[in-house]
């Protein structure tokens, strides 16, 4: 989501591009037709704001298969485009198909994750028990399966979600299946860590701390949000238990990683201050390896008060389950949430906290 630029979310057979005019506090939208099926997951390319991937339902041989494809929106609707949204008069636009992620041999797609700092040519998709690395060849308009790996174990193992780490030069991906979290090296497609029983019930979502390379957040159907140091996965670093039902989404703020958003089936959005495990626990950037040096340089007699984690605010504008929350990529103090009934809510970090962080 961007300030004065599109918020993108999926509806059945449609994608709505929502523009938020911050100065006038007005929300408006354009509609893109997604005629191939009902959307279950959507993700945008970090390298090209006009390109996105969808996972959608497709009937196949008396059953429903979830497929994935990469699309381009019309130029005039891209961020920075010239067409102004108009709910009442604008006709629906059509997406341009760039390529399918052909998963007929692997099962139903759970999600697609783009390489965070790449050129938009690499994506990971999760299909049942398979993790698939795709190379998007623009010239041939097709996706080439570069490598893959599979879950091994008893029962019908299926991935539920995944997240590509912005650290480690883009070589690590975290995935969730049932109650387990796994880390993968994309160069060898081999497993590098495993957190069994990470949650008491299904793990719904994952997110990496953008500023601390080993820190990973997770949430699930046990109503908890947990924070992990992937170098030592025996126990979570912190656990939040503020929600009363399944937690569907957890998102770190891109700039100030002490700010963490969560959305839940309890119809609430909670903004938490996880300062004690952030990259700015003492008001400035501190690396784990530098903590002892910082402490040695602190003048004698000036004791540092321990940081206090807390719930900043609980938002209850939704009347149904909150399935998605996310931060603006342009304004670090702006965030949006989306609930099952189709209500989109945009909020700001409280002004007092904003100035406390900045000053």
């Amino acid at each position: 989501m961007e300030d004065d630029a599109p918020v993108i979310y999926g509806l059945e057979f449609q994608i709505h591009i929502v523009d938020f005019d911050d100065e006038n506090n007005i929300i408006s939208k354009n509609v893109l037709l997604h005629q191939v099926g009902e959307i279950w997951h959507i993700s945008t390319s970090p390298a090209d704001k006009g390109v996105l991937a969808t996972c959608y339902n497709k009937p196949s041989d008396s059953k429903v298969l979830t497929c994935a494809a990469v699309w381009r929106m019309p130029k005039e609707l891209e961020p920075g485009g010239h067409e102004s949204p108009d709910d009442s008069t604008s006709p629906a636009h059509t997406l341009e198909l760039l390529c399918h992620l052909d998963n007929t041999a692997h099962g139903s797609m759970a999600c697609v994750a783009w390489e965070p700092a790449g050129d938009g040519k690499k994506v990971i998709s999760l299909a049942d028990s398979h993790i698939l690395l795709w190379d998007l060849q623009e010239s041939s308009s097709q996706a080439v399966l570069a490598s893959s790996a599979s879950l091994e174990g008893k029962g019908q193992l299926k991935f539920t979600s995944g997240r590509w780490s912005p650290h480690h030069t883009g070589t690590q991906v975290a995935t969730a299946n049932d109650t387990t979290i796994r880390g993968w090296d994309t160069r060898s497609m081999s497993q590098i860590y495993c957190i069994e029983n990470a949650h008491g019930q299904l793990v719904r979502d994952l997110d990496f701390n953008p500023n601390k390379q080993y820190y990973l957040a997770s949430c699930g159907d046990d109503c908890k949000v947990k924070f992990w140091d992937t170098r030592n996965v025996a126990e979570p670093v912190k656990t939040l238990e503020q929600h009363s039902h399944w937690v569907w989404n957890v998102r770190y703020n891109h700039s100030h990683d002490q700010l963490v958003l969560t959305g839940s089936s309890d119809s609430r959005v909670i903004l938490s201050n996880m300062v004690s495990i952030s990259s700015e626990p003492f008001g400035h950037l501190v690396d784990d390896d530098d903590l002892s040096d910082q402490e040695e340089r602190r003048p004698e007699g000036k004791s540092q008060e321990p940081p206090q984690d807390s719930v900043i605010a609980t938002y209850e504008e939704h009347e149904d389950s909150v399935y998605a929350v996310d931060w603006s990529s342009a304004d670090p103090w702006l965030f949006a949430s989306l609930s099952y009934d189709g209500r989109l809510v945009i909020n700001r970090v409280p002004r007092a906290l904003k100035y406390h962080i900045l000053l």
Side-chain angles (χ1 to χ4, degrees):
M1 186 185 74
E2 298 185 11
D3 197 7
D4 292 326
V7 179
I8 304 176
Y9 61 94
L11 297 175
E12 185 176 2
F13 305 108
Q14 295 180 353
I15 292 172
H16 288 197
I17 302 177
V18 178
D19 277 86
F20 175 54
D21 182 346
D22 192 22
E23 290 186 5
N24 300 305
N25 207 32
I26 297 173
I27 296 176
S28 50
K29 72 174 187 286
N30 274 304
V31 176
L32 288 169
L33 297 179
H34 188 271
Q35 297 172 327
V36 291
E38 182 182 6
I39 300 169
W40 284 93
H41 183 265
I42 188 169
S43 56
T44 53
S45 167
D48 189 335
K49 295 177 181 179
V51 173
L52 55 102
T54 60
C55 297
Y56 58 91
N57 283 352
K58 177 182 178 181
S60 174
D61 298 330
S62 74
K63 64 178 181 180
V64 176
L65 188 67
T66 305
C67 301
V70 180
W71 312 85
R72 178 175 292 281
M73 68 177 70
K75 281 287 185 183
E76 63 270 20
L77 299 188
E78 292 181 21
H82 301 294
E83 179 163 324
S84 299
D86 186 338
D87 293 359
S88 59
T89 61
S90 290
H93 298 263
T94 302
L95 288 164
E96 175 193 352
L97 175 66
L98 296 183
C99 61
H100 289 286
L101 302 181
D102 186 5
N103 63 317
T104 52
H106 301 102
S108 286
M109 290 284 190
C111 71
V112 173
W114 298 79
E115 184 180 20
D119 58 2
K121 301 302 182 187
K122 287 184 179 180
V123 298
I124 285 282
S125 67
L126 304 178
D128 284 351
S129 63
H130 303 278
I131 176 170
L132 311 169
L133 175 61
W134 300 90
D135 185 7
L136 304 183
Q137 301 293 334
E138 185 175 348
S139 59
S140 57
S141 298
Q142 66 178 6
V144 175
L145 183 59
S147 56
S148 64
S150 301
L151 289 173
E152 297 180 359
K154 297 180 179 178
Q156 292 184 328
L157 301 177
K158 288 186 178 182
F159 288 112
T160 53
S161 64
R163 201 78 172 165
W164 203 317
S165 172
H167 309 291
H168 312 288
T169 63
T171 60
Q172 292 190 15
V173 171
T175 63
N177 66 284
D178 197 29
T179 62
T180 301
I181 298 171
R182 303 171 195 269
W184 304 83
D185 188 323
T186 59
R187 295 166 295 185
S188 60
M189 296 303 280
S190 58
Q191 190 172 293
I192 51 179
Y193 57 83
C194 180
I195 312 174
E196 294 184 352
N197 299 313
H199 286 262
Q201 298 179 50
L202 183 72
V203 180
R204 291 280 177 184
D205 195 26
L206 306 166
D207 197 27
F208 282 97
N209 186 313
N211 300 328
K212 295 187 75 174
Q213 62 179 335
Y214 297 105
Y215 278 68
L216 173 70
S218 64
C219 61
D221 286 1
D222 58 0
C223 312
K224 297 178 182 179
V225 180
K226 296 186 179 183
F227 300 87
W228 307 90
D229 183 337
T230 58
R231 296 167 296 185
N232 180 10
V233 296
E235 294 290 337
V237 178
K238 288 278 183 177
T239 301
L240 296 179
E241 301 184 48
Q242 304 297 333
H243 286 287
S244 59
H245 208 264
W246 305 341
V247 187
W248 282 83
N249 244 183
V250 57
R251 287 290 179 268
Y252 276 104
N253 185 284
H254 306 305
S255 301
H256 307 285
D257 55 89
Q258 66 263 53
L259 302 178
V260 177
L261 274 177
T262 54
S264 166
S265 295
D266 63 10
S267 305
R268 298 185 298 162
V269 175
I270 294 180
L271 175 61
S272 299
N273 186 13
M274 302 305 297
V275 64
S276 71
I277 55 173
S278 75
S279 61
E280 301 175 313
F282 303 110
H284 51 81
L285 291 175
V286 178
D287 292 330
D288 289 344
D289 297 337
D290 296 333
L291 282 176
S292 58
D293 296 337
Q294 296 284 350
E295 290 166 354
E296 288 173 4
R297 288 197 294 268
R298 193 175 297 131
E300 293 183 7
K302 291 188 178 180
S303 61
Q304 176 69 49
E305 292 185 5
Q308 298 295 317
D309 298 334
S310 61
V311 171
I312 298 167
T314 299
Y315 301 89
E316 300 185 350
E317 294 99 335
H318 293 283
E319 298 176 358
D320 214 327
S321 298
V322 179
Y323 284 164
V325 295
D326 216 338
W327 293 95
S328 166
S329 60
D331 183 343
W333 312 108
L334 198 67
F335 60 91
S337 53
L338 179 67
S339 53
Y340 179 74
D341 56 6
R343 177 176 293 180
L344 176 73
V345 178
I346 296 176
N347 273 302
R348 281 193 170 277
V349 172
R351 188 183 298 268
L353 179 69
K354 172 182 175 180
Y355 291 128
H356 178 74
I357 292 174
L358 292 176
L359 302 176

